[in-house]
Amino acid sequence: MGLERTGNGYLVDPTIWTQDIMHEMAKEDDIELTESMVNQILVAKEYFEENSSVPPIRTFAKVVGIDKKILFKEWLTGPMKPITKYGGMPQPTGCV
């Protein structure tokens, strides 16, 4: 697809985001998104649209109803960076 992405892998133009683009970005990064991961991305995107900010991990864990430890295990890294990246949201700053 040849998506234009920043050095950290985020979309240069987040307004083009679609679920197809989400899957293409993950594929380019050799990540296979599970149904749970996709749901988490969509919940985070909804939160972002309602609050104009990316939720901190503690808040996100409560919103999505999944223990933080499980989120970290599922994403193999801090979950909020890949969630925001594949969700077409801005890169989080600080401790998320």
Side-chain angles (χ1 to χ4, degrees), residues 17-28:
W17 184 90
T18 65
Q19 286 194 40
D20 288 338
I21 287 175
M22 168 185 67
H23 287 286
E24 181 64 28
M25 290 172 65
K27 184 179 176 185
E28 286 178 3

Side-chain angles (χ1 to χ4, degrees), residues 33-44:
L33 296 175
T34 65
E35 185 176 331
S36 174
M37 291 168 148
V38 169
N39 183 56
Q40 292 166 37
I41 291 167
L42 297 177
V43 168

Side-chain angles (χ1 to χ4, degrees), residues 3-19 21-31 33 37 40-42 44-45 48 54 75 77-92 96:
L3 296 169
E4 192 174 359
R5 296 167 72 179
T6 67
N8 292 331
Y10 286 76
L11 288 173
V12 170
D13 179 6
T15 64
I16 68 166
W17 184 90
T18 65
Q19 286 194 40
I21 287 175
M22 168 185 67
H23 287 286
E24 181 64 28
M25 290 172 65
K27 184 179 176 185
E28 286 178 3
D29 294 346
D30 292 323
I31 302 290
L33 296 175
M37 291 168 148
Q40 292 166 37
I41 291 167
L42 297 177
K45 191 152 184 72
F48 178 78
V54 174
W75 287 97
T77 64
M80 295 316 297
K81 287 186 180 180
I83 286 172
T84 55
K85 177 169 55 172
Y86 301 133
M89 294 170 269
Q91 183 172 352
V96 292

Side-chain angles (χ1 to χ4, degrees), residues 34-89:
T34 65
E35 185 176 331
S36 174
M37 291 168 148
V38 169
N39 183 56
Q40 292 166 37
I41 291 167
L42 297 177
V43 168
K45 191 152 184 72
E46 184 177 307
Y47 182 97
F48 178 78
E49 289 170 358
E50 291 174 2
N51 299 283
S52 300
S53 67
V54 174
I57 185 61
R58 287 182 182 165
T59 301
F60 182 70
K62 289 178 186 174
V63 169
V64 79
I66 301 173
D67 185 272
K68 277 189 332 184
K69 291 176 186 174
I70 295 171
L71 290 171
F72 276 87
K73 194 173 193 176
E74 189 170 8
W75 287 97
L76 306 176
T77 64
M80 295 316 297
K81 287 186 180 180
I83 286 172
T84 55
K85 177 169 55 172
Y86 301 133
M89 294 170 269

